[in-house]
Amino acid sequence: MGEKAVPLLRRRRVKRSCPSCGSELGVEEKRGKGNPISIQLFPPELVEHIISFLPVRDLVALGQTCRYFHEVCDGEGVWRRICRRLSPRLRDQGSGVRPWKRAAILNYTKGLYFQAFGGRRRCLSKSVAPLLAHGYRRFLPTKDHVFILDYVGTLFFLKNALVSTLGQMQWKRACRYVVLCRGAKDFASDPRCDTVYRKYLYVLATREQQEVVGTTSSRACDCVEVYLQSSGQRVFKMTFHHSMAFKQIVLVGQETQRALLLLTEEGKIYSLVVNETQLDQPRSYTVQLALRKVSHYLPHLRVACMTSNQSSTLYVTDQGGVYFEVHTPGVYRDLFGTLQAFDPLDQQMPLALSMPAKILLCALGYNHLGLVDEFGRIFMQGNNRYGQLGTGDKMDRGEPTQVRYLQRPITLWCGLNHSLVLSQSSEFSKELLGCGCGAGGRLPGWPKGSASFVKLQVKVPLCACALCATRECLYILSSHDIEQHAPYRDLPASRVVGTPEPSLGARAPQDPGGTAQACEEYLSQIHSCHTLQDRMEKMKEIVGWMPLMAAQKDFFWEALDMLQSAEGGGGGVGPPAPET
């Protein structure tokens, strides 16, 4: 009995090599001790069921081993089981070409991370993840809470998310989350960076409205609902006609004259004005919805997206054009360097910005802005008192100026007096760069600030896609959508800066882009520093300016830090004490 069982077990051994990649003999077959069984002989349902228990990271690695496992691991059946395991309460897989794979990866990569400014703790912490959320699409921190919008239009309210312990902001582990509303398209609050001013939350949503009172027939209508951020209580609601469909909402102006800008599906901008100081009073209001001047005087334009601060608005069209509204003379002077074209009686008249290519991303700070074109080039404009433009100096720019040493960002964010860029350093890592004022720890690792974009001491999640900063914390949103592809194109050779026009008999340029002249300027700046410590800091800034690879910049920065530490230990002028 035992002698017959041994050959039977040997015959059931599975062949490890992929049969679709070529016929190879197993070890046991070579020795003549039995024939291995190919994995293709197993039912496909059984193979999918076994593979679905693997972690997502191991599943992706297994799919890269051979053609057979790639087809099995990429099947919708496997991703459907994984999606059910990651989100048991998910009812709908969503839309798209690969709905189950997209839903599984959205829920696997979702996360909200924060890092408090100041204090001794300099690491990212992950927030409480709502189990009902289908990925993370947008988020907005307020004074005490955080609001998160998922991909199916559910807006979550994370109550009492942050607490202050011994002067240090920490995420409350017992944080509760509730569903604020469903059917949400977009939401907004006070555009200022200080969360103290974010008292109300404006939610653009879709609701079913009865066509005739007393009947059961209804149709979908868009509306704006206003909630108190402190309690989540709805205090105001306005419903629009069913023929008007909106997709984005932003706020601009003071509390007493708060203007709501609504972007329609057709690319038109409508606005209405409310008084926030009277929203909590139990009374009815009559508001008038009017077409914004950018859509009234330029009807041929289709606005694709918009962003705003307290006193200005930036529009980006579907063709990549940029138009500006500036409502105060001080901000206009900071942005354009003059008041020549400012009209205080017609503040809504749009101003066109001249750009060399189609604009894809935009960010608007208090008195400076950032733009990214289709080739991944970054352009900055506005006030540069703290070096928030990243141009290497502190000279204001009245027109878009390219930051030549930084390209192809994932996202760009502009604050009060500093700027942040999320960049892909390599295939499997990302990094956060910042410039401008470093007071209060807003540029981790650079307490004195920097006039150029430098790498911050922040461990960025692998799937980070969005960020924002408040006075107390830095927030990073993690999410990966497989249907969002790289938006950038390669810059044609004829448009590369420093590339001369080809000519017959012309030799190759000895110094393309003026590299030698730039190095001489860098040496003169280092020579003008009086102390060794100042020269070290200036050298760090110059490394950030130079068009080097991310690994090369990290090498030079680490080497300079080692030299500074050695100099400080030898009795010389040491590096500044870390901020506590």
Side-chain angles (χ1 to χ4, degrees):
M1 181 69 179
E3 295 178 357
K4 295 181 179 180
V6 174
L8 181 61
L9 291 176
R10 288 176 177 173
R11 286 197 300 268
R12 290 184 178 179
R13 292 185 180 180
V14 180
K15 186 178 181 181
R16 293 184 180 181
S17 61
C18 175
S20 61
C21 298
S23 59
E24 299 179 4
L25 296 177
V27 177
E28 298 296 337
E29 185 177 359
K30 291 181 179 179
R31 295 178 181 177
K33 298 181 179 180
N35 296 325
I37 300 176
S38 172
I39 197 172
Q40 286 184 322
L41 299 179
F42 288 92
E45 296 80 6
L46 179 60
V47 178
E48 291 181 357
H49 180 74
I50 296 174
I51 291 179
S52 63
F53 287 96
L54 292 175
V56 176
R57 184 183 297 270
D58 297 338
L59 177 68
V60 175
L62 179 62
Q64 297 175 351
T65 56
C66 65
R67 183 167 59 252
Y68 173 76
F69 280 118
H70 175 74
E71 295 176 356
V72 174
C73 296
D74 199 45
E76 281 292 280
V78 175
W79 289 107
R80 181 178 65 253
R81 292 184 174 90
I82 293 177
C83 188
R84 295 299 188 190
R85 176 164 54 91
L86 294 175
S87 303
R89 301 182 181 181
L90 183 63
R91 299 178 181 179
D92 186 13
Q93 74 272 20
S95 60
V97 180
R98 303 291 305 279
W100 285 113
K101 183 177 181 180
R102 179 173 182 260
I105 294 180
L106 281 175
N107 288 278
Y108 175 74
T109 59
K110 67 180 180 183
L112 180 61
Y113 301 83
F114 84 100
Q115 178 170 326
F117 295 141
R120 297 180 179 179
R121 189 175 182 181
R122 296 294 182 86
C123 61
L124 284 172
S125 302
K126 191 174 183 179
S127 67
V128 178
L131 297 178
L132 296 177
H134 180 43
Y136 291 166
R137 186 159 63 97
R138 273 203 61 201
F139 76 102
L140 178 67
T142 58
K143 181 180 179 181
D144 303 310
H145 317 299
V146 177
F147 296 87
I148 298 178
L149 179 65
D150 69 356
Y151 278 82
V152 293
T154 305
L155 185 59
F156 293 90
F157 178 27
L158 275 65
K159 291 188 174 181
N160 301 320
L162 294 175
V163 295
S164 178
T165 304
L166 300 178
Q168 180 178 352
M169 301 299 296
Q170 295 183 357
W171 194 276
K172 190 175 180 181
R173 294 187 178 273
C175 167
R176 297 184 299 110
Y177 66 89
V178 296
V179 176
L180 185 67
C181 67
R182 300 183 186 275
K185 293 183 175 182
D186 194 16
F187 63 101
S189 186
D190 191 290
R192 285 172 284 190
C193 297
D194 195 345
T195 57
V196 177
Y197 300 103
R198 298 174 183 175
K199 182 179 179 181
Y200 294 99
L201 188 75
Y202 294 77
V203 181
L204 176 63
T206 301
R207 298 286 181 263
E208 292 290 335
Q209 298 290 335
Q210 291 184 354
E211 295 185 10
V212 181
V213 179
T215 62
T216 57
S217 61
S218 61
R219 61 175 58 187
C221 299
D222 286 353
C223 65
V224 173
E225 299 175 342
V226 185
Y227 295 86
L228 277 172
Q229 74 86 25
S230 58
S231 61
Q233 178 185 0
R234 194 181 73 182
V235 296
F236 187 65
K237 179 181 179 180
M238 61 189 82
T239 304
F240 307 105
H241 193 263
H242 63 84
S243 62
M244 305 189 68
F246 301 99
K247 64 178 182 179
Q248 188 183 1
I249 178 175
V250 298
L251 307 183
V252 66
Q254 301 288 339
E255 291 83 353
T256 56
Q257 291 289 326
R258 182 75 73 192
L260 281 66
L261 304 185
L262 299 167
L263 175 61
T264 66
E265 297 288 349
E266 293 78 18
K268 303 298 181 182
I269 305 293
Y270 287 85
S271 65
L272 56 91
V273 179
V274 297
N275 187 352
E276 283 191 356
T277 60
Q278 300 179 357
L279 288 179
D280 54 354
Q281 300 178 7
R283 50 175 293 188
S284 59
Y285 299 87
T286 301
V287 293
Q288 182 178 1
L289 188 66
L291 192 65
R292 202 72 172 178
K293 285 189 176 182
V294 66
S295 297
H296 179 72
Y297 290 104
L298 302 173
H300 61 282
L301 295 180
R302 290 177 57 91
V303 178
C305 63
M306 55 183 178
T307 183
S308 68
N309 60 19
Q310 188 181 7
S311 57
S312 56
T313 310
L314 186 67
Y315 305 105
V316 179
T317 67
D318 59 347
Q319 300 297 323
V322 181
Y323 292 84
F324 226 124
E325 284 185 14
V326 184
H327 305 153
T328 59
V331 175
Y332 190 96
R333 184 187 295 109
D334 288 336
L335 289 172
F336 298 99
T338 180
L339 290 176
Q340 183 177 0
F342 180 75
D343 187 1
L345 303 179
D346 193 5
Q347 301 175 357
Q348 293 186 14
M349 182 58 65
L351 304 173
L353 292 183
S354 177
M355 300 300 299
K358 180 180 179 180
I359 297 299
L360 300 181
L361 300 178
C362 64
L364 186 59
Y366 173 67
N367 53 11
H368 74 288
L369 62 96
L371 303 170
V372 183
D373 68 0
E374 58 183 334
F375 303 112
R377 298 177 296 183
I378 300 177
F379 297 87
M380 307 293 290
Q381 177 180 344
N383 186 282
N384 199 24
R385 179 180 180 183
Y386 298 93
Q388 59 263 41
L389 300 185
T391 54
D393 52 41
K394 296 185 179 181
M395 298 175 57
D396 298 343
R397 300 296 197 278
E399 58 185 12
T401 303
Q402 182 181 354
V403 182
R404 301 190 183 277
Y405 59 89
L406 195 60
Q407 293 182 351
R408 295 177 177 262
I410 299 174
T411 186
L412 174 67
W413 183 86
C414 296
L416 180 63
N417 47 30
H418 72 294
S419 304
L420 301 176
V421 167
L422 184 62
S423 178
Q424 187 84 35
S425 58
S426 64
E427 186 178 358
F428 301 104
S429 63
K430 296 179 180 178
E431 61 184 8
L432 184 62
L433 308 174
C435 64
C437 180
R442 66 190 67 185
L443 295 181
W446 301 82
K448 294 183 179 180
S450 174
S452 60
F453 282 99
V454 292
K455 183 179 179 181
L456 305 182
Q457 295 181 3
V458 177
K459 186 177 181 180
V460 183
L462 179 61
C463 297
C465 61
L467 59 92
C468 79
T470 63
R471 179 178 295 180
E472 300 86 6
C473 293
L474 168 69
Y475 295 88
I476 298 180
L477 184 71
S478 173
S479 181
H480 179 68
D481 190 355
I482 61 175
E483 295 188 355
Q484 291 183 357
H485 305 287
Y488 301 123
R489 302 192 299 119
D490 293 334
L491 186 66
S494 60
R495 302 180 63 176
V496 177
V497 177
T499 302
E501 294 294 334
S503 59
L504 296 176
R507 296 182 179 180
Q510 298 296 328
D511 185 20
T515 306
Q517 182 179 359
C519 292
E520 292 179 1
E521 177 65 23
Y522 295 155
L523 288 176
S524 63
Q525 293 181 14
I526 296 176
H527 183 72
S528 62
C529 298
H530 300 287
T531 62
L532 179 61
Q533 179 65 26
D534 293 339
R535 292 183 178 182
M536 290 286 189
E537 294 295 335
K538 176 58 67 174
M539 185 62 193
K540 285 185 179 181
E541 293 185 8
I542 292 175
V543 170
W545 302 341
M546 300 180 71
L548 303 174
M549 298 178 62
Q552 295 173 334
K553 291 184 179 181
D554 292 341
F555 166 75
F556 284 116
W557 283 331
E558 291 292 337
L560 291 172
D561 288 336
M562 293 173 61
L563 293 176
Q564 280 184 319
S565 300
E567 179 67 22
V573 180
E579 189 179 18
T580 60

